[in-house]
Amino acid sequence: MTTTTPAGSAPSSPGATVAAWWRQFRGLPRPLRVASYVALGLVLVLVAGLVTGVVLVRRPLPQTTGTIDVPGLSADVTVVRDDHGIPQLYGDNLDDLMRAQGYVHAQERFFEMDVRRHATAGRLAEMFGEPALESDEYVRTMGWRRVAERELALLEPETREALEAYSDGVNAYLDTHSPSRIAVEYTVLNAGGLDYEPEHWTPVDSLSWLKAMAWDLRGNMTDEIDRVLALADHSAQQVASLYPPYPYDENAPIVGRGTVVDGVFEQDATTGGTRNPQRPAFTAGARSALRSLRDGLDRMPSFLGRGEGIGSNSWVVDGKHSATGEPLLANDPHLSTSLPGVWMQMGLHCTTLSPSCPLDVAGFTFSGVPGVIIGHNQDIAWGFTNLGPDVSDLYLEKVEGDRWRYDGKLLPLRTRTETIKVRGGEDVTLTVRSTRHGPILSDVSDQLADVGEEARVEGAPALPDGTSYAVALEWTALHPAPTADAILELDKATDWRSFRAAAADFAVPAQNLVYADREGHIGYQAPGRVPIRKSGNDGLLPVAGWRPENDWTGDYVPFDGLPQVLDPAEGFIVTANQAVIGPDYPYHLTDDWDRGYRAQRIRDLIDSEQELSVDEMAALQLDDHNPIAPTLVPFLLDVKLPRGYHSAGQQLLRTWDFSQPADSPAAAYFNVVWRNVLADTFHDDFDKDLWPDGNERWIAVMETLLRDPSNAWWDDRTTDTTVETRDDILTRALLEARDELTRRESVSPDDWTWGHLHQLDLQSQTLGKSDIAPVRWLVNRGPWEVGGSSSAVDATSWDAADGYDVTSAPSMRMVVSLGDFDESRWINLTGVSGHPFSAHYTDQTDLWADGETLPWLFTRSAVEDAAKATLTLRPAGS
């Protein structure tokens, strides 16, 4: 490009141009010059702030290439990361691998680890102030960390050594990084006056997180309370209709045959020895205390778990049902959504397998816990779903001062004092009281402590003056057990026998374990501590703690008596939280099973396919068939609606195939109708905390209710002069749904989409709830429009009492090919990183939402071919 200057002029220099500009600027009126100075200053401040902000948010990102000296290593450990940041670790011995795993977990997710350990120790208020106090009080009362401290002594020496090495690896990272270089969240908190320096990690910090997972999967505690609250205004028969029995004739249990013979479960036996007696229900009526307890537990942080409505899918097929000729195993645990997600993918590989270094394993890990929780090694693969046994009971206790009544006697309460530090406030002293059944949870709330006079127990005389009811918790997780041993034992297992030996140590939470190996075997084992109750306690309702017949015996269902099966004749095993085994099984596991809709759907699809590929297994995880739709839609289509606007939504249902992709107008309409049917039927009968959430239990309730058009549940109590029937409620729900979707989306039904309503928002459970919008923007992500629904195989659950947003979801998906591990697939709900400005914070979420998966490479050559970054952790001073 050629430039010219006017004739008779000389080209101006940059300096001359600036000088001329400055003379012109100085000639401006003073107010304009001042405004310009201010504007320029603001621009400079914004630029400086932007540059500083970028530096601050990127400062904690981990080093992923080059070398880092790590004290305590005996040899180099290589960390190979792929394009999604998933690390595969290669070391010469077990101690080095555990130390390196601790270091890498801390690199990616230490803030998450730190928050978790504060939560499980009842110390959240130290970081987040008074809003976290109630959660701390509940956790301190239950004593999660105290139990974990006792568990450490029960573990095998090798497990303790692994926990120590892991902790040393975490601490090696902390020792060389300031808080602002560990996590941007510390920068935000310290800017708010926290003045925080993370403590060193300990083995007990790792063990305590297992209590949180047990809490998330604790079983029917909330159902115990809800049954009592529902009995306040309804008959026992009515309440029983809201908890239908498991439909064994429609939805198959996990194990289809077998029983206990002389204390040992035999999969081919038809008659056996032991039999638990049926226990009569004891109805407790302390509704005020129980309602307050329920509300308080609901306010605990969601990352500690919902404790209800949580399910999972896993299944395994043998070579005859697999396109590869070898077993395939699939798993997708459904957990509360969080950011970062609960799982971090990782591989742990000994460079040479030997008795002293037996690990060659990859899968899904908990940051803060050594080893791989779910995945596969060089010989076997395994998956988890929640078994859901009744492992907790609430006891109503008669308390008189510092004593409690039991078997006609007054016994002293056990007490201890806890001091909780509160950021920005005074320390809080908590007195924890316990009976033989466990800690008194009702002491957490002053309101609970004062409601004793309102409480009544059916059939019991009035309480004497000075006596009140309290609520104590008996729970298997509060009894120390060596569950942590099972994690490394699973990682090292080589066959069915060693797998079962590992499962025997998996005490809490009780899980369904599916299994496959390279020899072609598939299997199922139910592990976990399941209490044996005395004859007065069936686990369905809170019970009278002063009656010895309501106690646990002190024994658990023996491991050898728990259901298990190896190589079943039908060639596949499905576990999706359905009943484990039929009603003739001699031990009481629970009466509150998932009703089996997901499990039966998976079974039916496997039966129809016969021979599945890896891709077909992954596609089955995405099945979004609505389980109530085939029953409800014919009734909805029978309702006569005015033509035109009012029936336009109803017309979508005539050709609907009951699937629920995000772009489906029919799924949008149906789910809004479903929510309104539940609301119009039951909201008049219960307070909000008992409103239907629409999960599998309410599906079973409605399947029965629809066949009874004049059932009393249909009547709306708020209309004094009218008795509504089924068709009245269905008509109302259809019309309300039409209006709701018009307001929310469009007047044209063709423009409706289920995903517009059903969205996944990923929220940090700490700073993500900040009152400051830029802080929320820093750590939260979303929304994503997704398909699926509660009780579908693709279980993106939503709570019909609150709205359509996703509340829990598949936290990961995996399919393992035993014929060629490198053909396996996996995906995480979020990403491996806990750093909000890492490329791997939510880089798997788009794929997850689209139903895609990533290659799960296992052999070292395949991993190295796909490497995007390689880091060497080397012994300090080498």
Side-chain angles (χ1 to χ4, degrees):
M1 178 178 180
T2 302
T3 60
T4 61
T5 58
S9 67
S12 61
S13 68
T17 301
V18 171
W21 175 86
W22 180 246
R23 286 193 298 271
Q24 291 176 350
F25 179 77
R26 293 288 295 173
L28 293 173
R30 187 173 183 277
L32 286 179
R33 294 201 311 272
V34 171
S36 298
Y37 287 136
V38 171
L40 177 61
L42 288 175
V43 169
L44 292 174
V45 168
L46 289 172
V47 170
L50 180 62
V51 171
T52 301
V54 170
V55 170
L56 288 176
V57 299
R58 295 191 61 81
R59 181 180 293 168
L61 299 186
Q63 178 181 337
T64 59
T65 59
T67 61
I68 298 176
D69 290 350
V70 177
L73 288 179
S74 64
D76 290 355
V77 176
T78 303
V79 183
V80 181
R81 286 175 164 91
D82 66 9
D83 56 357
H84 284 83
I86 299 170
Q88 303 282 346
L89 281 56
Y90 297 89
D92 290 345
N93 59 69
L94 189 60
D95 184 90
D96 283 352
L97 278 174
M98 295 296 97
R99 197 174 302 266
Q101 185 182 21
Y103 192 93
V104 173
H105 270 164
Q107 276 189 308
E108 297 285 2
R109 292 191 171 209
F110 183 76
F111 181 74
E112 176 198 24
M113 294 164 58
D114 200 15
V115 169
R116 284 177 173 181
R117 71 163 161 185
H118 276 78
T120 56
R123 296 176 55 198
L124 275 177
E126 290 181 23
M127 299 180 73
F128 302 105
E130 193 275 335
L133 179 59
E134 187 175 27
S135 173
D136 285 349
E137 289 176 331
Y138 277 117
V139 170
R140 292 283 187 101
T141 297
M142 287 185 278
W144 289 3
R145 186 174 180 86
R146 293 167 61 88
V147 177
E149 289 169 346
R150 294 164 62 193
E151 288 180 338
L152 184 61
L154 302 179
L155 300 176
E156 293 293 329
E158 187 178 42
T159 306
R160 292 200 298 273
E161 291 168 4
L163 287 163
E164 290 285 358
Y166 180 91
S167 297
D168 289 345
V170 175
N171 296 330
Y173 181 78
L174 297 181
D175 288 343
T176 55
H177 292 75
S178 65
S180 66
R181 294 192 48 159
I182 295 172
V184 70
E185 289 90 342
Y186 292 129
T187 300
V188 173
L189 289 171
N190 285 338
L194 180 62
D195 191 24
Y196 181 80
E197 190 82 28
E199 301 168 1
H200 267 189
W201 194 262
T202 72
V204 176
D205 294 329
S206 297
L207 296 178
S208 295
W209 183 241
L210 299 178
K211 299 302 167 193
M213 295 312 299
W215 182 253
D216 196 13
L217 305 172
R218 63 189 178 270
N220 73 337
M221 184 190 302
T222 303
D223 282 341
E224 285 189 30
I225 298 174
D226 288 355
R227 284 186 175 96
V228 174
L229 300 182
L231 285 167
D233 300 311
H234 302 90
S235 69
Q237 183 178 2
Q238 284 180 304
V239 173
S241 73
L242 303 181
Y243 294 86
Y246 187 85
Y248 289 99
D249 56 337
E250 298 174 10
N251 300 332
I254 297 171
V255 179
R257 56 186 298 176
T259 190
V260 178
V261 179
D262 297 327
V264 177
F265 187 87
E266 296 186 8
Q267 68 184 60
D268 296 320
T270 56
T271 59
T274 319
R275 175 70 186 174
N276 258 12
Q278 292 294 314
R279 293 171 292 279
F282 180 88
T283 303
R287 296 183 179 94
S288 297
L290 290 167
R291 184 185 299 278
S292 296
L293 175 59
R294 187 192 197 283
D295 292 344
L297 296 177
D298 282 347
R299 288 191 292 271
M300 290 180 69
S302 59
F303 67 83
L304 290 179
R306 299 171 64 214
E308 59 178 335
I310 300 292
S312 302
N313 304 321
S314 68
W315 64 92
V316 59
V317 301
D318 65 13
K320 293 180 181 178
H321 290 77
S322 163
T324 70
E326 299 292 339
L328 297 172
L329 185 148
N331 193 193
D332 55 294
H334 310 152
L335 299 171
S336 299
T337 58
S338 63
L339 189 60
V342 68
W343 302 109
M344 179 176 170
Q345 295 133 300
M346 183 178 283
L348 301 171
H349 309 276
C350 294
T351 52
T352 301
L353 288 175
S354 67
S356 62
C357 196
L359 284 189
D360 189 15
V361 62
F364 294 85
T365 70
F366 289 147
S367 53
V369 180
V372 169
I373 308 298
I374 297 176
H376 73 83
N377 62 26
Q378 72 278 12
D379 295 308
I380 73 166
W382 66 95
F384 283 6
T385 64
N386 191 25
L387 192 150
D390 189 352
V391 295
S392 64
D393 279 335
L394 294 173
Y395 285 84
L396 289 168
E397 309 285 18
K398 290 180 180 178
V399 175
E400 302 178 29
D402 59 358
R403 297 182 297 175
W404 69 291
R405 187 164 293 280
Y406 180 76
D407 196 18
K409 302 174 184 176
L410 280 174
L411 304 177
L413 290 164
R414 297 193 294 271
T415 63
R416 70 176 192 274
T417 300
E418 300 271 352
T419 300
I420 302 175
K421 296 184 181 300
V422 182
R423 177 188 177 187
E426 298 293 325
D427 292 354
V428 172
T429 300
L430 176 70
T431 299
V432 178
R433 304 188 298 171
S434 301
T435 70
R436 66 176 288 155
H437 302 120
I440 295 178
L441 292 185
S442 53
D443 281 352
V444 170
S445 165
D446 291 339
Q447 177 187 1
L448 280 171
D450 294 339
V451 297
E453 293 306 314
E454 302 176 24
R456 296 291 182 270
V457 175
E458 204 169 284
L463 292 177
D465 292 342
T467 302
S468 62
Y469 285 116
V471 184
L473 170 67
E474 175 113 36
W475 178 33
T476 55
L478 301 185
H479 300 274
T483 296
D485 282 337
I487 297 172
L488 290 180
E489 289 169 352
L490 284 171
D491 290 353
K492 297 184 295 182
T494 59
D495 55 19
W496 175 244
R497 182 176 179 180
S498 54
F499 169 79
R500 290 195 70 231
D505 285 331
F506 208 101
V508 180
Q511 297 289 286
N512 297 307
L513 291 178
V514 292
Y515 166 93
D517 64 34
R518 308 263 337 237
E519 299 298 317
H521 301 293
I522 64 171
Y524 163 82
Q525 175 66 57
R529 286 186 173 179
V530 182
I532 297 176
R533 295 167 170 84
K534 293 183 179 179
S535 59
N537 182 357
D538 62 5
L540 292 177
L541 294 163
V543 292
W546 56 92
R547 295 179 176 172
E549 64 267 26
N550 293 330
D551 289 351
W552 293 2
T553 65
D555 295 322
Y556 301 103
V557 177
F559 177 77
D560 285 337
L562 289 167
Q564 52 92 10
V565 62
L566 179 67
D567 296 329
E570 62 183 344
F572 62 88
I573 302 165
V574 175
T575 83
N577 314 112
Q578 79 271 40
V580 171
I581 195 166
D584 293 333
Y585 178 70
Y587 294 108
H588 177 74
L589 298 179
T590 186
D591 290 318
D592 288 317
W593 304 110
D594 182 287
R595 269 55 184 183
Y597 299 106
R598 283 178 291 112
Q600 193 60 43
R601 176 68 175 175
I602 294 167
R603 291 181 61 88
D604 291 344
L605 291 173
I606 291 174
D607 268 335
S608 66
E609 289 289 343
Q610 287 297 314
E611 195 175 273
L612 292 104
S613 66
V614 170
D615 288 344
E616 288 168 333
M617 292 279 282
L620 204 163
Q621 292 177 319
L622 305 175
D623 182 80
D624 53 16
H625 177 85
N626 187 299
I628 184 61
T631 300
L632 179 55
V633 165
F635 289 97
L636 298 177
L637 293 178
D638 282 344
V639 173
K640 304 299 183 184
L641 295 178
R643 295 175 63 89
Y645 171 86
H646 296 288
S647 64
Q650 186 187 42
Q651 297 306 311
L652 295 172
L653 302 180
R654 296 194 181 278
T655 57
W656 184 41
D657 63 358
F658 312 135
S659 66
Q660 302 169 96
D663 61 357
S664 171
Y669 181 65
F670 175 82
N671 281 301
V672 176
V673 171
W674 169 239
R675 184 183 181 216
N676 282 298
V677 167
L678 293 171
D680 294 338
T681 306
F682 293 108
H683 284 193
D684 61 305
D685 293 288
F686 301 112
D687 291 337
K688 189 177 188 305
D689 55 359
L690 294 183
W691 285 358
D693 60 10
N695 70 8
E696 40 78 30
R697 177 165 68 86
W698 291 101
I699 292 173
V701 169
M702 194 57 68
E703 284 179 334
T704 299
L705 203 54
L706 286 166
R707 296 191 291 268
D708 188 359
S710 299
N711 191 290
W713 286 118
W714 295 115
D715 181 38
D716 184 348
R717 293 185 175 192
T718 66
T719 57
D720 295 333
T721 60
T722 305
V723 176
E724 285 81 6
T725 64
R726 177 196 65 203
D727 289 350
D728 296 321
I729 296 301
L730 297 185
T731 301
R732 184 192 301 177
L734 287 163
L735 295 174
E736 290 170 340
R738 194 347 168 176
D739 289 341
E740 181 177 345
L741 280 162
T742 300
R743 291 192 307 271
R744 285 176 174 265
E745 299 198 29
S746 171
V747 70
S748 171
D750 291 339
D751 295 331
W752 298 343
T753 67
W754 174 222
H756 182 79
L757 299 174
H758 189 51
Q759 298 187 351
L760 169 70
D761 271 292
L762 292 176
Q763 184 181 78
S764 165
Q765 298 304 304
T766 54
L767 298 189
K769 298 178 181 294
S770 170
D771 293 332
I772 303 171
V775 173
R776 296 196 303 273
W777 171 85
L778 181 73
V779 296
N780 294 340
R781 299 292 184 270
W784 286 266
E785 297 188 354
V786 299
S789 73
S790 307
S791 300
V793 177
D794 184 14
T796 54
S797 296
W798 53 284
D799 189 336
D802 294 325
Y804 306 99
D805 289 340
V806 175
T807 56
S808 67
S811 55
M812 62 82 159
R813 299 184 182 108
M814 74 177 199
V815 177
V816 181
S817 172
L818 277 296
D820 183 350
F821 286 133
D822 287 338
E823 294 297 318
S824 303
R825 309 290 297 183
W826 61 357
I827 197 72
N828 197 344
L829 175 63
T830 58
V832 297
S833 180
H835 299 296
F837 280 81
S838 167
H840 308 306
Y841 191 50
T842 55
D843 63 329
Q844 297 184 52
T845 310
D846 284 340
L847 299 170
W848 178 95
D850 290 339
E852 298 180 30
T853 55
L854 298 171
W856 181 355
L857 304 179
F858 183 69
T859 61
R860 185 160 189 176
S861 59
V863 168
E864 291 182 339
D865 286 346
K868 295 299 181 183
T870 301
L871 172 70
T872 300
L873 303 179
R874 66 184 183 185
S878 62

